[in-house]
Amino acid sequence: MSYAGKVAVITGGSKGIGRAAAEQFVALGAKVVINYASDSAAAEEVVHKLGQENVLAIKADAGSLAGVKQIVDETVSRFGKIDILVPNAGWMPMANLEAVTEELFDQIYAINVKGPLFLAKAAVPHMPQGSHIVFISTSLCHAGNIMPPQLLYVSTKGAIEQFTRLLSRDLAPKGIVVNCVAPGPTATELFLRGKPDALIEGIKKQSPFNRLGNPEEIAEAIVFMAGTSWVAGQTLKANGSLI
C-alpha cells in the first residue's frame, strides 16, 4: 500500500496512537500534519524523527472552532489539500454521575465530540474525491463490563460512532469515505494516566493475550481504513471485526 502524494491530518498526533499513525503514513509516502495541544517537545521529536519535509506540527486547541480553523488553514497553506483526516485527539476523565460537573461535561464534549465534527466540516471542502475520514471510538461502546466512571467518555464515543454512520451517507456523493476505528485497552499515556498498577493488571487479564494493545497495532487499523473504499460507515474494532 502506498500513500505517496497523499496528505494526512492527525489531531493528537504527537503521542500514542496518533504518533504511531503518523509514522506509518510517512513510511508509506504520505505528508502528515500532526496537531498537538501543549507538549511542543513531543511534537518537535516527531518532526525531527520523520523529517521537516514530511511533517508539519500545529499547536492548536482541537476542541475549539478557532483551533479547527487553524489546523485546516495551515494544512492547506502548506500542502494544498487534505486526503486523510484522523480526528484522534481525545480526553478520558473518569467520573460517575455524582462526580460529573457542567465544566467537566463541556470540556470532554468539546474535545471528543465538537472538535471532530467541526474539523470534518472545515476539512471537507479541501478533500478531493477518494479521500477518507477515520474517526476514533472505543471498544467500550460495545463492551458489557464498563464501569460507572466511564460515563462521559463512553457517551462521547457513542456520538462519534453515530457521526460515522451518518456522515458516511452525507459525504458519499462527494466521494469521501467515512469509517471508524474502536481500540480496546491500549498502552498510551492517555489510557495509563491515573490508573494504579493493580487495575492495569486486571485489564490485561481480560485479554486472551494477557496484555494491553500497543499504539502501532491500532495505527495499522487506521492506515488500513484510510485506504479502503469497499465499506463505509463502519467501525473496526481492535480485534479486526466490523460491527
Side-chain angles (χ1 to χ4, degrees):
M1 183 180 294
S2 173
Y3 285 97
K6 303 296 185 181
V7 178
V9 175
I10 306 171
T11 61
S14 64
K15 299 177 181 178
I17 293 169
R19 173 171 176 162
E23 292 174 350
Q24 292 184 25
F25 277 124
V26 169
L28 293 169
K31 305 298 183 183
V32 176
V33 174
I34 59 167
N35 153 255
Y36 67 101
S38 59
D39 192 343
S40 298
E44 290 170 3
E45 182 182 341
V46 177
V47 174
H48 177 75
K49 178 179 180 180
L50 301 182
Q52 292 185 349
E53 71 278 12
N54 296 317
V55 181
L56 171 65
I58 301 175
K59 182 179 181 180
D61 178 3
S64 73
L65 295 188
V68 162
K69 183 177 186 301
Q70 179 187 347
I71 293 166
V72 172
D73 286 351
E74 292 190 25
T75 298
V76 174
S77 177
R78 171 75 177 271
F79 295 117
K81 62 173 181 172
I82 299 170
D83 298 290
I84 300 162
L85 186 67
V86 185
N88 169 71
W91 189 36
M92 192 178 181
M94 303 295 283
N96 62 11
L97 182 62
E98 183 179 2
V100 166
T101 65
E102 182 179 16
E103 180 182 14
L104 188 63
F105 180 94
D106 289 344
Q107 288 175 343
I108 190 172
Y109 268 80
I111 189 66
N112 288 13
V113 179
K114 177 182 175 182
L117 178 64
F118 283 93
L119 180 63
K121 180 179 174 68
V124 160
H126 307 284
M127 301 182 75
Q129 283 203 355
S131 294
H132 290 74
I133 299 174
V134 183
F135 288 110
I136 308 298
S137 180
T138 172
S139 63
L140 289 172
C141 285
H142 309 276
N145 59 343
I146 58 175
M147 303 300 292
Q150 295 165 325
L151 170 65
L152 289 181
Y153 178 70
V154 174
S155 70
T156 63
K157 294 306 185 177
I160 290 297
E161 296 202 2
Q162 297 309 312
F163 288 171
T164 302
R165 293 177 63 236
L166 297 168
L167 290 180
S168 67
R169 295 174 178 269
D170 190 7
L171 300 180
K174 300 180 184 294
I176 298 173
V177 178
V178 183
N179 282 304
C180 183
V181 172
T186 306
T188 65
E189 179 186 17
L190 176 66
F191 179 79
L192 296 174
R193 186 184 305 154
K195 293 183 175 69
D197 290 344
L199 176 59
I200 296 299
E201 291 303 313
I203 294 172
K204 288 180 180 179
K205 291 177 182 177
Q206 295 174 14
S207 164
F209 298 101
N210 195 34
R211 67 174 179 86
L212 301 179
N214 64 62
E216 291 73 23
E217 291 170 325
I218 308 305
E220 288 175 1
I222 293 170
V223 171
F224 169 76
M225 294 301 265
T228 299
S229 59
W230 58 270
V231 65
Q234 298 289 341
T235 298
L236 182 67
K237 294 193 293 184
N239 65 3
S241 61
L242 288 168
I243 55 174

